[in-house]
Amino acid sequence: MTTSHRHGASVQPAEFTRILTGLHQRWRTTTGGARVAAVAQAGVHHVSGARWASVVLHRPGQTRTLVATAPTAQDLETLQHELGSGPGVDPVLEGNVCLCPDLAQDHRWPTFGSQARGRLGVAALLTCRVPLPEDPDTTIGFTLSSDTPNVFDVHATWVGALLASQAALAVSAQLHRQQLQNLERALESNREIGAAVGVLMARHGITRCQAFDLLREASQDTGRKLAAIATGVVDTGELTSPPTQAGRQAHRLPEASP
């Protein structure tokens, strides 16, 4: 962990408890991205001198800012990724805490430091990067920044690291919820498709493969999702195309066997 030479006290257990209690009280009435936003806001609230905060999702080939408490925080993340330089993107610092008390005196990322100060007015920053336990290739970056140099000390790194871990928990829960929702939507789509296949088989005396082929062809012809076509069949008992072109007729269906 990179720190300044200032001597700051570490966070005491009572302060850990106070920060976590306040954060989790907010989580009781929020879900998803709102919980991640609550972590960023807690950083600005609990770290003296912090003006802005951001939470970033890093995956191989993908970087996305999930929360930025102000445009400056968003611009700071964008600048790092445009330059490929800075504590938020430096692979050497992955999984660590990096304290930059004064960007004007930090020679590790001179171009980034100069532009962060000149373009954005950012003088100091603290970055914590935490890999998700269930997906080590996915990293959560938590950054606090200030327009005043030398406001972050060792105490700030303790609070930052604590909140970074909470940001990782919130993002992990959000990703799990999204995966569950996607699975539920996929199962519902499969049920609709299966029901539509059954309707077409019974109504027109065709095989399962023929019924599915008709659904697939209707989807390709109309540009609509297969599940949407299936829902229409279940609701109406017919396989028809929406009137997007004049004269478009219902799909031809095999005659029922005598």
Side-chain angles (χ1 to χ4, degrees):
M1 178 172 70
T2 305
T3 63
S4 70
H5 295 293
R6 299 175 64 193
H7 296 285
S10 62
V11 179
Q12 298 301 312
E15 187 173 1
F16 268 118
T17 301
R18 179 171 57 84
I19 293 172
L20 291 177
T21 299
L23 180 61
H24 291 175
Q25 284 177 342
R26 295 193 62 183
W27 280 8
R28 290 176 184 173
T29 57
T30 58
T31 59
R35 289 188 172 185
V36 183
V39 177
Q41 292 160 1
V44 175
H45 177 74
H46 289 290
V47 177
S48 178
R51 285 286 309 277
W52 311 288
S54 59
V55 179
V56 178
L57 176 72
H58 300 277
R59 280 174 169 161
Q62 177 193 20
T63 297
R64 181 161 55 99
T65 302
L66 302 178
V67 171
T69 59
T72 298
Q74 175 67 69
D75 293 342
L76 185 67
E77 296 295 348
T78 300
L79 177 62
Q80 291 190 80
H81 294 101
E82 286 178 347
L83 297 175
S85 174
V89 298
D90 192 331
V92 175
L93 300 177
E94 186 166 346
N96 285 316
V97 177
C98 179
L99 179 59
C100 303
D102 186 352
L103 286 172
Q105 304 298 323
D106 196 314
H107 303 295
R108 289 169 292 182
W109 309 284
T111 302
F112 164 69
S114 174
Q115 294 195 29
R117 293 213 64 176
R119 288 170 48 184
L120 305 178
V122 176
L125 61 83
L126 168 66
T127 295
C128 309
R129 295 167 65 181
V130 181
L132 293 184
E134 69 275 20
D135 183 6
D137 290 332
T138 298
T139 302
I140 302 303
F142 177 70
T143 296
L144 296 171
S145 50
S146 177
D147 55 359
T148 304
N150 300 311
V151 295
F152 297 143
D153 55 14
V154 176
H155 175 271
T157 67
W158 282 94
V159 177
L162 171 66
L163 292 175
S165 68
Q166 298 303 298
L169 288 176
V171 172
S172 181
Q174 184 179 9
L175 292 175
H176 286 159
R177 186 176 298 105
Q178 291 172 350
Q179 291 170 354
L180 180 59
Q181 291 172 345
N182 291 339
L183 178 59
E184 289 174 344
R185 283 194 292 267
L187 290 173
E188 180 61 28
S189 295
N190 287 339
R191 284 194 291 266
E192 288 289 287
I193 293 169
V197 166
V199 169
L200 294 176
M201 290 174 63
R203 188 173 182 85
H204 301 286
I206 58 179
T207 67
R208 181 179 307 185
C209 289
Q210 288 174 320
F212 182 79
D213 285 343
L214 287 170
L215 292 173
R216 179 175 51 80
E217 290 168 6
S219 175
Q220 293 173 346
D221 291 346
T222 63
R224 300 171 65 203
K225 292 184 177 180
L226 187 62
I229 297 291
T231 298
V233 172
V234 173
D235 289 343
T236 67
E238 297 292 341
L239 180 61
T240 58
S241 302
T244 54
Q245 296 179 8
R248 177 168 283 181
Q249 303 295 321
H251 280 270
R252 294 178 179 271
L253 292 160
E255 296 294 337
S257 302

